[in-house]
Amino acid sequence: MDFQKEQLPNGLTVIGEHNPKAQSFAAGYFVNTGSRDETPEIAGVSHFLEHMMFKGSDRRSPDDINREFDEMGANYNAYTSEERTVYYGAVLPERGYKLLDLLSDMMRPSLRDEDFSMEKNVILEEIAMYEDRPNFKVFEIANEKFYNGHPIGNSVLGSTDSIKNLQREQMNTYFESRYAPNNMILTIAGHYEWQKVLEQVSTLTKAWKPSETKREYPKLRAKTGSENELEGSLKRVHVAFYAPGISAQDELRYAAALLASCIGDGTGSRLYWSLVDKGLVDSASLSHDSSDGVGAFVGYLSTAPEQLEQTTDIFKGELLKVEREGVSADEWQRAQRKFATSLTLRGETPFGRLMSLGAGYLYTNQYQSVQDVVNAVFKATPEDGQRVLSSKPFSSLYSFTLKP
């Protein structure tokens, strides 16, 4: 597979991973914006805007967009996170140019008043729906508390009040600033002709104007200790755990991910054997989130109220034990093999490869093939894990509990 890159005169970066043997084509616009780039007055605007991008352009109505995706037989969607908003699709290679035309047109939406008012109600319903999901709500609350004023702790959905008060003019201002071509990456993967793609995209985006964009990188002053909140309708206890981690740009990010896997992977990890396998909890996990300039270990536990104290003690005990002693070579190797298998399986299709390719390039401005990442995972050593643990992250643990 070949990697290609071109920056257009307006600042739009186009990257591609060409696989001549692929039976499909995938493309996505990765916009370098999310909830961390919002102010309190416009909290939730990134996610709201994602919805509005499907509401039509000067060339297409909302029905046109949905119909054309269906006519292409596309697998398509979009998502918003704390750091990026992504619009993507996958089709057979002969329909790739139609997909690029549609996705590019969507990047310049009409943002009509009537669509804005209608979609606001949809967003408010979505917020209400997630309020009824305690395994989501516990992280929504804990995220803001742990990050303690750092913008990565901003809610992706925003609040009921922030969405109700949001004005279309505020969204338009945000769009003009953050959806500038120099703040986006068009990523393609699979079977395509590079020069034809560049010619098409250059024509489709020639009117796009660059804009000065920035992102704040304050120092993380993570919260520690334990807090809880009562939720009378609950039958189970839900606990979120956080500890300082490694950024997406740090060479130790693979070691941090492997450590988290050894401790809290869904099967065969320390938390699995000490809590899930023994029937003490219905769920216990630990993962590592590498973000732009900051990172965190994030854990979760769900159990019966009468077992809260015992299970949280076991959970914290496993973390502190690893902090003191590290993990065994056998545990480390198993985690490496799991990662390698997962990366390889996901990378076997252009659609699966698209997400890793685009997100990785946003963070590092560097290309890594699947094999490059697999090699990096196997290159990470238990000694690298000890380097991560040397700052004693789990001694600075924060936990937040939702309980009946």
Side-chain angles (χ1 to χ4, degrees):
M1 291 187 285
D2 298 319
F3 175 71
Q4 296 126 334
K5 173 194 170 185
E6 184 75 25
Q7 187 171 59
L8 302 184
N10 61 11
L12 176 66
T13 298
V14 185
I15 62 172
E17 187 178 74
H18 180 241
N19 181 356
K21 296 182 179 180
Q23 301 298 308
S24 62
F25 168 79
Y29 276 98
F30 289 70
V31 189
N32 192 34
T33 199
S35 59
R36 72 173 291 169
D37 303 299
E38 300 168 358
T39 59
E41 296 77 21
I42 57 170
V45 68
S46 302
H47 173 250
F48 193 160
L49 181 56
E50 175 212 317
H51 282 233
M52 291 294 293
M53 303 292 278
F54 287 85
K55 292 300 179 182
S57 65
D58 291 342
R59 293 172 52 198
R60 289 175 171 91
S61 69
D63 289 344
D64 290 335
I65 290 175
N66 291 323
R67 175 179 51 77
E68 289 186 34
F69 273 126
D70 287 343
E71 287 176 349
M72 283 184 258
N75 185 354
Y76 71 97
N77 212 328
Y79 72 86
T80 304
S81 72
E82 290 83 0
E83 302 193 298
R84 61 184 176 270
T85 311
V86 182
Y87 306 84
Y88 59 89
V91 294
L92 298 181
E94 59 267 26
R95 300 188 181 102
Y97 300 108
K98 291 183 178 180
L99 176 65
L100 286 171
D101 179 80
L102 178 51
L103 287 173
S104 299
D105 189 40
M106 286 174 58
M107 293 304 100
R108 289 299 175 262
S110 297
L111 301 181
R112 290 178 284 264
D113 284 327
E114 58 270 27
D115 295 326
F116 180 86
S117 299
M118 181 176 64
E119 201 63 25
K120 179 177 285 194
N121 293 324
V122 174
I123 301 297
L124 291 171
E125 283 296 319
E126 188 172 351
I127 292 174
M129 176 185 70
Y130 280 111
E131 278 283 318
D132 288 335
R133 297 182 179 181
N135 59 334
F136 174 88
K137 185 176 181 179
V138 68
F139 285 106
E140 186 80 350
I141 299 172
N143 214 41
E144 181 180 2
K145 290 180 176 292
F146 169 75
Y147 284 108
N148 198 23
H150 192 287
I152 198 69
N154 292 350
S155 168
V156 172
L157 292 178
S159 67
T160 298
D161 286 342
S162 69
I163 296 301
K164 282 183 176 178
N165 294 329
L166 187 68
Q167 302 299 309
R168 195 200 70 84
E169 292 74 17
Q170 292 174 299
M171 176 180 284
N172 191 67
T173 299
Y174 180 83
F175 170 81
E176 293 291 341
S177 171
R178 305 302 303 182
Y179 276 67
N182 53 303
N183 200 44
M184 306 166 69
I185 294 176
L186 172 60
T187 304
I188 61 175
H191 190 80
Y192 58 84
E193 293 185 50
W194 177 245
Q195 288 304 321
K196 286 188 176 181
V197 167
L198 284 184
E199 291 171 9
Q200 180 190 20
V201 174
S202 296
T203 300
L204 291 170
T205 65
K206 64 181 179 181
W208 297 9
K209 303 298 183 184
S211 175
E212 183 178 348
T213 59
K214 63 179 182 177
R215 171 169 285 172
E216 301 295 332
Y217 295 91
K219 183 178 179 180
L220 174 62
R221 293 178 171 83
K223 198 168 191 178
T224 60
S226 299
E227 295 181 287
N228 64 79
E229 185 175 304
L230 298 178
E231 186 78 27
S233 61
L234 295 180
K235 303 297 183 184
R236 308 289 287 173
V237 175
H238 301 265
V239 189
F241 300 88
Y242 290 79
I246 303 298
S247 78
Q249 292 84 9
D250 196 306
E251 63 178 7
L252 291 176
R253 63 189 182 276
Y254 298 113
L258 291 167
L259 268 177
S261 179
C262 292
I263 300 169
D265 182 73
T267 57
S269 66
R270 294 193 177 198
L271 292 177
Y272 176 82
W273 292 117
S274 63
L275 288 167
V276 180
D277 183 65
K278 288 182 170 59
L280 296 173
V281 302
D282 52 77
S283 181
S285 62
L286 184 77
S287 60
H288 183 267
D289 290 346
S290 291
S291 302
D292 190 5
V294 68
F297 290 93
V298 182
Y300 173 69
L301 180 152
S302 174
T303 188
E306 62 270 18
Q307 293 178 318
L308 174 62
E309 184 176 356
Q310 177 190 7
T311 55
T312 52
D313 284 348
I314 294 172
F315 194 107
K316 294 176 182 179
E318 293 290 356
L319 300 186
L320 292 173
K321 184 177 180 181
V322 168
E323 188 175 270
R324 291 192 308 269
E325 304 173 4
V327 297
S328 69
D330 185 53
E331 286 177 293
W332 193 263
Q333 289 173 355
R334 287 202 303 269
Q336 287 176 314
R337 291 169 188 148
K338 287 181 181 179
F339 265 82
T341 300
S342 176
L343 288 165
T344 303
L345 289 175
R346 189 166 65 245
E348 283 188 337
T349 67
F351 184 73
R353 181 66 182 133
L354 181 74
M355 296 304 165
S356 300
L357 181 62
Y361 202 88
L362 267 184
Y363 283 134
T364 65
N365 288 319
Q366 294 179 346
Y367 167 69
Q368 284 186 301
S369 68
V370 173
Q371 191 59 54
D372 290 336
V373 179
V374 169
N375 291 342
V377 168
F378 279 113
K379 186 179 178 181
T381 65
E383 289 72 28
D384 292 325
Q386 287 300 131
R387 290 171 62 193
V388 175
L389 294 171
S390 64
S391 64
K392 298 189 179 301
F394 302 129
S395 294
S396 301
L397 195 68
Y398 172 74
S399 65
F400 179 81
T401 305
L402 271 182
K403 57 184 181 179

